[in-house]
Amino acid sequence: MTTAIAAHAAVTKSAFGTTPDGTAVDLYTLKSDAVEARIMTYGARIVSINTADRDGKMGDVVLGYSALDGYLGDATTYFGAVVGRYGNRIANGSFKIDGQEYHVPVNNNGQSLHGGIVGFDKLVWQAHPIAGGVEMTLVSKDGDQGYPGTLTAHVRYSLHHNALRIDYSVSTDKTTVVNLTNHTYFNLAGGGTVLGHEMTLLSDHYTPVNKVLIPTGELPSVEGTPFDFRKATLIGARIEQDNDQLKIAGGYDHNWVLRGANGEVKTAARVYEPASGRVLTVTTTEPGVQFYSGNFLDGTKFGKAGESHEKRSGFCLETQHYPDSPNEPSFPTTLLKPGETRHSMTTFTFSTHAK
Ligand code: BGC
């Protein structure tokens, strides 16, 4: 099936295997004049993004596996996935809504990470083609992983020339907490570590963490710290510095506070890879971005072309509400009430820069 709509990317659908319970997984290929992106229904995951380098040579700039089995056998990296209900961490897997305490699975150092044991990354989403893309839908039942309320999530991926846009919308029938993001690992060189990528983060403050990576609640300035990426700086330039925050996380694995209001579109990050000339620009309506430098990749898993997923061979820019917001009243709220629909938007735009 091919749906070609003027001014939009062409969209094709193919089979991508079945899960152990026999559910079919589909793969949607979005192709514009500049980019080809493949997205599957298992975890609503980005499987590949092919973009040109400065010489026009196409290459895949995201980490992943060649077949569904790789994804099914990997519970911890979240390659390409939409993570939810709550992307990132909730302290001790507990929070209160209207005085009632809820418990969600603790799957990371006594904390809840990325929605629990069977988060949205491990479920097969319903999908249908839209103009230039695909809409994925998931209905998570009241009590799923301990979260209150039946949550309906729509995630629309659409390709517009060199920009992949992700639109999220969520609604619930009972007050709940939600924080959806996309967990793609990028490597603009198409291989090796990402330490030689130049990172710019349009952010003046970040959320430092305690020993189990839960924010302390403070929002210090990045000034004079290895967290200052206001000017383009190599990811590897300061990552081994003697800094408590870098040591706790084994590198960068923190939330940066974005400029501008929650809900307003702003540029979050710009990443330049000097050898290929590729540039990734990230815009979002979210108030924060988790820059994770792939510190926990350990080289034991092998990618699409048999390459090992080495430590720091990919970085994530997870546009989001701040981690542990349900327990931190001073952070922008992640509460969602019945009758509301919350929208958010993130774009990944690919370009190149001359030498
Ligand atoms: C977290 C990391 C975690 C990784 C899982 C990131 O979003 O911030 O701490 O290890 O996801 O692969």
Side-chain angles (χ1 to χ4, degrees):
M1 174 213 64
T2 303
T3 326
I5 297 164
H8 285 294
V11 182
T12 55
K13 176 181 156 186
S14 57
F16 201 59
T18 49
T19 62
D21 72 2
T23 309
V25 173
D26 292 327
L27 182 72
Y28 284 80
T29 302
L30 283 42
K31 198 167 167 37
S32 72
D33 54 342
V35 173
E36 185 205 75
R38 294 190 306 151
I39 296 149
M40 68 162 154
T41 53
Y42 178 68
R45 292 177 189 237
I46 295 177
V47 173
S48 63
I49 299 179
N50 272 272
T51 71
D53 66 11
R54 67 159 69 85
D55 300 321
K57 196 167 153 263
M58 298 297 278
D60 188 359
V61 296
V62 309
L63 269 50
Y65 298 104
S66 55
L68 182 61
D69 277 4
Y71 293 92
L72 294 173
D74 174 354
T76 56
T77 64
Y78 305 87
F79 282 151
V82 170
V83 290
R85 284 190 197 192
Y86 200 93
N88 213 284
R89 291 176 176 78
I90 296 181
N92 306 309
S94 80
F95 55 91
K96 278 189 184 157
I97 298 176
D98 296 332
Q100 182 168 345
E101 192 158 309
Y102 293 93
H103 295 276
V104 295
V106 290
N107 54 346
N108 188 270
N109 246 324
Q111 317 308 307
S112 190
L113 177 66
H114 297 330
I117 314 277
V118 187
F120 290 6
D121 61 293
K122 296 182 183 66
L123 300 174
V124 178
W125 294 54
Q126 299 298 316
H128 67 267
I130 57 170
V134 57
E135 176 172 291
M136 307 262 178
T137 298
L138 187 74
V139 179
S140 163
K141 293 208 174 82
D142 185 19
D144 182 14
Q145 300 292 296
Y147 288 93
T150 304
L151 185 88
T152 303
H154 299 286
V155 176
R156 289 191 299 283
Y157 289 98
S158 56
L159 193 56
H160 309 263
H161 179 46
N162 60 341
L164 179 64
R165 173 177 169 140
I166 314 176
D167 287 277
Y168 302 85
S169 62
V170 281
S171 57
T172 182
D173 62 3
K174 221 186 248 179
T175 305
T176 191
V177 292
V178 202
N179 191 24
L180 300 186
T181 187
N182 179 278
H183 207 290
T184 292
Y185 292 68
F186 295 96
N187 182 321
L188 302 180
T193 75
V194 294
L195 298 175
H197 287 50
E198 279 179 15
M199 174 68 72
T200 307
L201 294 171
L202 287 94
S203 165
D204 309 301
H205 300 270
Y206 76 112
T207 55
V209 290
N210 67 17
K211 291 209 158 46
V212 287
L213 302 183
I214 297 292
T216 60
E218 299 148 294
L219 303 178
S221 165
V222 295
E223 180 86 46
T225 76
F227 294 83
D228 189 349
F229 282 97
R230 293 176 295 187
K231 288 204 190 96
T233 309
L234 292 182
I235 293 177
R238 301 164 300 185
I239 201 167
E240 299 296 353
Q241 272 186 13
D242 188 11
N243 170 285
D244 282 353
Q245 285 295 315
L246 288 173
K247 285 198 170 139
I248 288 174
Y252 296 105
D253 191 357
H254 295 77
N255 172 72
W256 271 256
V257 174
L258 296 175
R259 297 171 189 157
N262 175 21
E264 194 175 280
V265 183
K266 58 242 181 224
T267 302
R270 184 173 179 273
V271 193
Y272 170 56
E273 198 286 301
S276 67
R278 287 195 184 91
V279 177
L280 165 67
T281 306
V282 181
T283 74
T284 189
T285 55
E286 287 287 346
V289 65
Q290 185 87 7
F291 163 38
Y292 169 54
S293 53
N295 314 309
F296 299 117
L297 296 174
D298 61 5
T300 58
K301 301 248 167 44
F302 298 88
K304 296 169 208 169
E307 77 284 9
S308 87
H309 291 134
E310 298 292 346
K311 180 173 174 177
R312 300 179 181 154
S313 59
F315 65 86
C316 300
L317 288 168
E318 302 156 62
T319 54
Q320 62 179 7
H321 276 56
Y322 313 162
D324 199 34
S325 295
N327 292 306
E328 192 53 71
S330 65
F331 289 175
T333 186
T334 51
L335 274 183
L336 180 70
K337 298 191 174 125
E340 294 175 353
T341 301
R342 190 189 307 141
H343 298 282
S344 65
M345 194 273 296
T346 292
T347 63
F348 295 126
T349 302
F350 302 92
S351 57
T352 59
H353 189 67
K355 261 197 183 117

